[in-house]
Amino acid sequence: SEMCIRDRNEEGQVACVACELGSYCAEGAAAALPCNEGSYSSSTSLTSAAECTRTDQGHYASTGSTQQTPCAAGTAQASSGMGSCSKCAAGTFQDEEGKLTCKPCTAGSYCAEGAAAALPCPGGTHKDASLAVMTSVSQCVDCGPGTSCSVGSAAATPCAPGTITAITGQSECFPCNGGEYVATSGATACAECSAGSYCEAGSPSERQCPAGTASGTPGLGDATRPAQRER
């Protein structure tokens, strides 16, 4: 379709030009009218707003658009014919474009409003079990003594036998020194190996001195020599 405008180069002369992209022009129009938000057009032959194309789900178009645009990461749109996309709600995220809905935040991570990714709790911390969703790193909880938390932990993990953590906020547990052991999980301290036994580093139990040998000294690190303690 064409719209009519006055050609200023020839007084009194009326000329018609093609309708603009992203617009429609009724018969005899004096100006192109833009497609409404939520619709678009890449044609110059539209005569009414109804001929503009509605956006698909997962897309949007502002007023006068010549094409639809996929929703950006961190947003989504479940309806067609929309002029904008909605930010992902706190506790959800969307790491892809053109999506209809947002994803639940993964366990051990936090998601602020409009998040394009689930961000993991740092090492030494874990998800706060009292919260349905987490929206900030400040809500991640320190691991307690006797436990460790790798990056993105949903819960603290008790130290395995032979290892300990004595303080909070540790990303890994540490093996007992030679001459010490711990038999339980979730321990905060190692015990000295008793006389007549030896304990290699990281031992979960005492080992008796080999047959034909004996020791009246506690804290042996192996069967042949006293433990070498860290200073």
Side-chain angles (χ1 to χ4, degrees):
S1 179
E2 294 182 329
M3 64 178 181
C4 290
I5 60 172
R6 185 173 298 279
D7 187 339
R8 296 180 181 178
N9 292 327
E10 297 181 25
E11 186 175 354
Q13 180 70 36
V14 175
C16 290
V17 297
C19 197
E20 298 172 9
L21 295 176
S23 302
Y24 62 94
C25 299
E27 184 176 357
L33 297 177
C35 289
N36 297 326
E37 67 172 6
S39 66
Y40 64 97
S41 174
S42 57
S43 171
T44 60
S45 62
L46 304 191
T47 60
S48 70
E51 293 178 348
C52 297
T53 303
R54 286 172 60 88
T55 59
D56 297 326
Q57 293 173 300
H59 295 73
Y60 73 96
S62 57
T63 301
S65 292
T66 60
Q67 61 183 5
Q68 63 180 349
T69 303
C71 292
T75 69
Q77 182 52 261
S79 300
S80 60
M82 300 303 290
S84 63
C85 297
S86 300
K87 288 183 178 181
C88 291
T92 67
F93 75 101
Q94 182 51 261
D95 54 349
E96 300 178 88
E97 295 182 346
K99 294 302 179 181
L100 280 60
T101 59
C102 298
K103 306 173 184 178
C105 202
T106 53
S109 297
Y110 57 94
C111 298
E113 182 184 29
L119 301 178
C121 286
T125 67
H126 64 90
K127 181 184 184 298
D128 186 341
S130 69
L131 300 176
V133 296
M134 296 198 309
T135 60
S136 168
V137 66
S138 65
Q139 295 172 323
C140 297
V141 179
D142 283 344
C143 292
T147 69
S148 67
C149 298
S150 58
V151 174
S153 290
T157 302
C159 293
T163 66
I164 63 165
T165 53
I167 60 176
T168 61
Q170 297 299 296
S171 59
E172 60 180 330
C173 297
F174 302 96
C176 293
N177 293 323
E180 298 177 335
Y181 76 101
V182 63
T184 58
S185 61
T188 59
C190 301
E192 187 175 54
C193 203
S194 59
S197 302
Y198 68 97
C199 303
E200 297 175 342
S203 290
S205 62
E206 298 179 287
R207 300 182 65 179
Q208 296 300 309
C209 289
T213 66
S215 173
T217 303
L220 290 185
D222 61 37
T224 61
R225 62 183 182 276
Q228 298 296 312
R229 294 185 176 276
E230 295 182 359
R231 295 184 181 276

